[in-house]
Amino acid sequence: MSETPTPVQALILWRLLGRQGTALNSEIAPKKAERDALLRAGFLDVEKAGRSSRLTVTDKGWNWAGDHLRDPLPPTMRVLQDWLTRLHHHLAASGATLAEFVGPAPEPTAPAPAKPRRAPAKPRRAPTPKAPRRSRPPSAPDPGEIRTRIERAYLACTAGRRARGVRLSALRAALPDLDRATVDAGLAAILRGDPTIRLTRIGDPKALDAAERAAAFDPAGEPFHEIWIQA
């Protein structure tokens, strides 16, 4: 195997990284040839864990993954490809590493001892079901608060500098707790009359990747791709 995993081998690494870098072989069920190739190349470690084996991504594997979030995957994995591209932009905007984003793996726990069997209980009459309580709909976010959050995210992407273009893909990645509709509502309010902020379009399709096209704000059939906050 070369120093670059194949797309199929990369999927094994991404599955393990989605489980914080470690999992039982039986949970991942990789093909033996692909798994052994990753072991020989130093991307994985393996150790016995009961009747199975535990696969763990090495430092070399973590470093490779952090530098290759946008590497091509098999065509059937287009959704994962797009999400990894979004993650790449988020890490680039926030300055965090992939390991910081994923977090440390929990310590493996021993299986709980089996509980002794009890004699079957006598059947009881089922209680009369109660009507479910109606939950109150969440209140809409305050427009002024959304405006403030957008400006903070913009400054986080530009290291505190203004009058610089920020791709909307990076802006959305810097607002992970706000859903798309909420961010779009804030951008729509900006378009209606905020003289300090403007949205711009990028006309050259070659200058946009799939994540940037997906993150565009398109209120009337002409998508915006960048945001600028003036000094």
Side-chain angles (χ1 to χ4, degrees):
M1 169 181 171
S2 68
E3 287 300 303
T4 301
T6 67
V8 173
Q9 292 162 358
L11 286 177
I12 298 173
L13 292 175
W14 291 126
R15 285 206 64 190
L16 286 167
L17 292 171
R19 293 169 178 256
Q20 295 175 296
T22 183
L24 295 177
N25 186 79
S26 56
E27 296 172 334
I28 304 299
K31 291 185 177 180
K32 185 176 184 302
E34 307 294 353
R35 180 200 64 191
D36 291 349
L38 289 169
L39 291 172
R40 289 193 300 271
F43 290 100
L44 292 182
D45 280 336
V46 61
E47 60 181 350
K48 291 296 292 181
R51 295 183 179 180
S52 185
S53 300
R54 176 167 291 277
L55 305 179
T56 301
V57 181
T58 63
D59 289 344
K60 181 178 179 180
W62 279 96
N63 291 335
W64 175 88
D67 293 335
H68 294 81
L69 285 163
R70 294 189 290 180
D71 278 15
L73 293 175
T76 55
M77 296 294 161
R78 181 59 185 272
V79 173
L80 176 60
Q81 182 88 68
D82 289 346
W83 277 105
L84 290 177
T85 301
R86 291 291 304 276
L87 177 57
H88 167 84
H89 290 298
H90 170 71
L91 296 178
S94 64
T97 65
L98 178 63
E100 291 170 338
F101 175 82
V102 173
E107 291 293 330
T109 57
K115 294 183 179 180
R117 292 186 177 182
R118 295 183 178 180
K122 294 182 179 180
R124 297 182 179 180
R125 294 180 60 185
T128 303
K130 297 181 180 180
R133 293 184 178 181
R134 295 183 177 179
S135 59
R136 298 176 61 185
S139 57
D142 178 73
E145 180 183 352
I146 299 174
R147 164 66 172 77
T148 300
R149 290 290 308 278
I150 288 175
E151 182 170 2
R152 288 176 181 171
Y154 172 91
L155 294 174
C157 293
T158 63
R161 294 173 293 181
R162 299 176 184 270
R164 283 169 169 76
V166 171
R167 299 289 174 97
L168 291 183
S169 58
L171 182 79
R172 293 186 192 277
L175 295 166
D177 58 316
L178 298 183
D179 59 29
R180 186 183 185 98
T182 300
V183 177
D184 283 355
L187 297 175
I190 288 169
L191 278 181
R192 286 195 295 267
D194 191 327
T196 64
I197 302 181
R198 61 189 175 94
L199 301 176
T200 59
R201 302 180 178 91
I202 297 176
D204 182 6
K206 294 181 180 179
L208 300 168
D209 60 25
E212 290 163 340
R213 288 191 291 270
F217 175 54
D218 190 358
E222 294 186 6
F224 294 96
H225 307 100
E226 281 189 328
I227 181 171
W228 295 70
I229 298 184
Q230 304 305 315

